[in-house]
Structure formats: C-alpha cells, structure tokens
C-alpha cells in the first residue's frame, strides 16, 4: 500500500466515521424551566435520550416542539397532571408519577 493510498483511506474514513460518532450521542442540551412558585426544573436530554433510550420522535413534534426555554411552553402542573407535556410519560406507567407529592423533588430543584 502506498502512502497516498493510506492517506486517501484516512481522509475517507474521517468523512464516513465523523458523522457516525456525532450520531452516537444525541441530546440537545439541558432545558431549564422556572415555574412561578416552585423550584426550577432542568430537563436533561442526555438522561432521557442516552440513558433511558428514548427517541427524539417520542416527544418531538407530538408533545414538544423544537423550541427551548420558558418562552417556548406555557405549562403548569395542572396541565402536566392531565397528561400534557411531561405528564404524557410521567404518569406512573411509563415514568414516575408526577402526581405523587414525594416525587416533586425529582424535578424541582431549589
């Protein structure tokens, strides 16, 4: 194998493998919500997607649009307890039940 062949193989390998390694970890970063009268909530994409094995399409675009931050969603606990937004999974069947008082601290931080 010539040096040119090895160099070409390395360049081609970088173009092929680089996108695949980018796809290996999907996230989107944390999204922070600051509800009135309650501790902030930080939604961790890495936890839900990489550790829990959820697909982006499980939530986007059905439950959440691809927008971030407080301005994107006007939600409150009454909406969540009726199965909207986070409540669509956190219902005691798919995820922990957000209606249980002892689970508040799982999302709301001081």
């Amino acid at each position: 194998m010539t040096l040119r062949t090895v160099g070409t193989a390395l360049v081609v390998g970088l173009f092929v493998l680089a996108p695949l390694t980018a796809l290996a970890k999907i996230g989107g970063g944390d999204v922070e919500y600051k509800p009135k009268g309650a501790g902030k909530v930080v939604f961790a994409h890495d936890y839900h997607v990489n550790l829990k094995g959820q697909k982006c399409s499980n939530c986007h675009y059905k439950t959440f649009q691809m927008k971030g931050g407080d301005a994107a969603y006007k939600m409150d606990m009454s909406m969540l307890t009726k199965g909207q937004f986070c409540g669509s999974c956190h219902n005691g069947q798919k995820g922990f039940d957000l209606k249980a008082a002892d689970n508040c601290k799982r999302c709301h931080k001081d």
Side-chain angles (χ1 to χ4, degrees):
M1 208 183 285
T2 68
L3 186 57
R4 184 178 183 156
T5 305
V6 171
T8 302
L10 286 172
V11 169
V12 169
L14 287 173
F15 281 104
V16 171
L17 294 177
L20 294 177
T21 56
L23 292 175
K25 185 170 183 174
I26 300 171
D30 292 347
V31 179
E32 186 174 298
Y33 299 95
K34 297 176 185 174
K36 293 178 183 174
K40 74 177 179 179
V41 174
V42 177
F43 174 81
H45 275 97
D46 286 348
Y47 177 78
H48 286 82
V49 176
N50 297 316
L51 295 178
K52 289 295 190 179
Q54 296 293 318
K55 296 178 183 175
C56 299
S57 60
N58 290 356
C59 296
H60 300 289
Y61 293 96
K62 295 177 268 182
T63 307
F64 291 96
Q65 297 302 311
M66 298 291 273
K67 297 178 183 178
D70 288 334
Y73 302 104
K74 299 300 179 198
M75 65 177 109
D76 57 37
M77 284 304 297
S78 68
M79 297 170 93
L80 276 61
T81 58
K82 291 175 186 165
Q84 296 178 349
F85 300 110
C86 307
S88 65
C89 286
H90 288 281
N91 54 15
Q93 295 173 354
K94 288 183 180 181
F96 66 84
D97 188 354
L98 54 76
K99 292 179 186 177
D102 58 336
N103 283 333
C104 297
K105 63 185 174 285
R106 294 181 78 169
C107 296
H108 292 276
K109 310 298 179 199
D110 295 331

